[in-house]
Amino acid sequence: MPRILVVLLILAIGAPALEAQRPNTRQGFWISFGLGAGSLDLGGDVQDFDRETGLSGYLRLGGTISPTILIGGESNGWVKTIDGVTTQVGFLGPVAVFYPSATGSFYIKTAVGVLTVDEDFISGTGFATSLGVGNEFRVGNNFSIVLFLNGIQSFGVEAKVDGMGTGVNVDPNLVQLGVGVAWH
């Protein structure tokens, strides 16, 4: 995780100079993806799970409604192996991205969708919401480096063992921090 923070700091210091050379414009199809660290906690009825940091990322794509509003779809993921057991969390849903300034690089995004958690023979699926912020530093005509922070909270995710309900809600929440790229 410290390496990610160093990369973020370098980008935060150096990217604005590059960005000043190219205007932020958004039109037509767009795509963005990123990788970083994710911090996962199981909530609900699970009290003995310590928050874990693992590899996390996102893929987002869609169309431009206006220079300040983008809509599309988003997928987020998290994975970590602990003591030989791999835990995976995934989110998928429609997303709206809002830029307060038509020429600015800062954005706020929100999504609603479905979250799944899978760990060997235990799994669960439920409703989730996502809220995030980011900054796109324009370094090419239609290419940006993205610093992002996302939060995802799930609701009603019942743990199932081999497909059978257990009555135990796990309700994972995930915080992602990382670096990505975007094409507008």
Side-chain angles (χ1 to χ4, degrees):
M1 176 101 162
R3 285 186 229 150
I4 290 174
L5 294 177
V6 170
V7 169
L8 292 174
L9 181 61
I10 290 169
L11 289 173
I13 292 169
L18 291 171
E19 180 185 19
Q21 300 171 10
R22 295 188 166 66
N24 283 302
T25 57
R26 292 171 278 278
Q27 59 187 17
F29 175 78
W30 55 268
I31 186 169
S32 179
F33 61 89
L35 289 174
S39 178
L40 177 75
D41 187 33
L42 296 181
D45 300 326
V46 180
Q47 301 299 322
D48 60 349
F49 185 89
D50 292 329
R51 186 170 279 282
E52 291 287 342
T53 300
L55 179 64
S56 194
Y58 77 91
L59 170 65
R60 189 167 47 236
L61 57 97
T64 304
I65 300 300
S66 75
T68 60
I69 300 174
L70 310 178
I71 59 168
E74 178 174 86
S75 176
N76 302 72
W78 180 92
V79 64
K80 184 168 186 176
T81 301
I82 304 168
D83 297 328
V85 177
T86 300
T87 303
Q88 301 174 38
V89 173
F91 170 84
L92 179 66
V95 65
V97 183
F98 171 69
Y99 296 82
S101 168
T103 59
S105 58
F106 174 78
Y107 68 83
I108 302 166
K109 66 103 187 163
T110 186
V112 295
V114 176
L115 182 133
T116 62
V117 61
D118 185 55
E119 182 178 280
D120 286 347
F121 58 89
I122 299 173
S123 64
T125 302
F127 174 76
T129 60
S130 174
L131 183 63
V133 295
N135 207 7
E136 297 177 344
F137 298 100
R138 188 61 57 113
V139 294
N141 289 338
N142 62 354
F143 179 74
S144 299
I145 295 173
V146 181
L147 304 181
F148 68 90
L149 174 65
N150 295 325
I152 301 169
Q153 176 63 56
S154 64
F155 306 93
V157 179
E158 179 185 8
K160 295 182 179 183
V161 177
D162 291 328
M164 302 295 293
T166 62
V168 175
N169 283 339
V170 290
D171 297 336
N173 66 73
L174 173 63
V175 177
Q176 300 175 299
L177 174 68
V179 178
V181 293
W183 287 268
H184 291 278

